[in-house]
């Protein structure tokens, strides 16, 4: 059932948000930012998410040499901005970060599953999860580098 929901969410996200040209600022509406618990909620979510990424046997190797604190901070800023919060993502463009990593669609799906698990663990409402994934979905084109 979890795989079905994962596939359903990914499909919905691709339909709603095709084009992943990197992190784009959301509209002035901050309701998604509030649904995620604002900065504190996003920080807790990304701390949990990074731990899951590192521990995941499918994709953990991508993160073994990563500064986990910095990664969590960059992700927090990125999701904060995408959700309509006051943060500004100042990290490198997604295309540049992932260019030489040989990330497959399966790797990307594993990352989405880890994010979903973190959102569920932090009791993020399903509608808010779906909205966030729709805003993140366009990044697929810049993250998946191995077809």
């Amino acid at each position: 059932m979890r795989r079905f929901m994962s596939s359903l969410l990914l499909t919905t996200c691709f339909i709603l948000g095709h084009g992943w040209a990197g992190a784009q600022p959301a509209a002035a509406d901050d309701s998604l930012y509030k649904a995620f618990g604002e900065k504190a909620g996003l920080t807790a979510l990304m701390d949990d998410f990074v731990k899951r990424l590192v521990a995941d046997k499918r994709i953990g190797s991508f993160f073994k040499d990563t500064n986990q604190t910095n990664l969590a901070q960059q992700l927090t800023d990125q999701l904060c901005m995408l959700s309509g919060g006051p943060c500004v993502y100042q990290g490198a463009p997604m295309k540049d970060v992932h260019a030489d990593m040989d990330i497959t669609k399966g790797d990307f799906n594993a990352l989405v599953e880890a994010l979903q698990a973190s959102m569920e663990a932090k009791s993020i409402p399903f509608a808010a999860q779906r909205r966030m994934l729709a805003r993140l979905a366009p990044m697929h084109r810049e993250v998946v580098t191995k077809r």
Side-chain angles (χ1 to χ4, degrees), residues 5-136:
M5 291 305 295
S6 211
S7 295
L8 179 62
L9 278 173
L10 279 173
T11 301
T12 301
C13 290
F14 288 124
I15 290 169
L16 293 175
H18 52 297
W20 190 275
Q24 300 295 322
D29 176 12
D30 68 350
S31 63
L32 186 57
Y33 176 67
K34 290 179 179 175
F36 272 78
E38 300 181 346
K39 182 78 178 242
L42 286 166
T43 298
L45 176 65
M46 291 300 99
D47 288 344
D48 181 83
F49 178 53
V50 169
K51 288 176 186 169
R52 289 175 192 271
L53 292 175
V54 171
D56 193 300
K57 291 178 181 164
R58 298 168 295 175
I59 57 175
S61 62
F62 288 114
F63 304 97
K64 68 179 179 181
D65 297 325
T66 301
N67 177 328
Q68 294 174 30
T69 302
N70 184 58
L71 176 60
Q73 179 60 51
Q74 292 292 323
L75 291 169
T76 298
D77 287 345
Q78 190 173 42
L79 268 64
C80 176
M81 184 181 78
L82 287 171
S83 66
C87 308
V88 176
Y89 172 71
Q90 296 180 353
M94 294 293 96
K95 188 173 186 173
D96 295 347
V97 171
H98 300 94
D100 298 323
M101 295 180 69
D102 290 333
I103 297 171
T104 66
K105 187 187 284 189
D107 298 329
F108 185 83
N109 291 346
L111 181 133
V112 171
E113 288 175 19
L115 179 56
Q116 288 176 284
S118 291
M119 290 189 291
E120 289 173 15
K122 296 298 180 185
S123 301
I124 305 296
F126 183 74
Q129 290 183 35
R130 192 181 69 232
R131 286 176 59 205
M132 181 65 81
L133 289 171
R135 292 184 184 185
L136 292 168

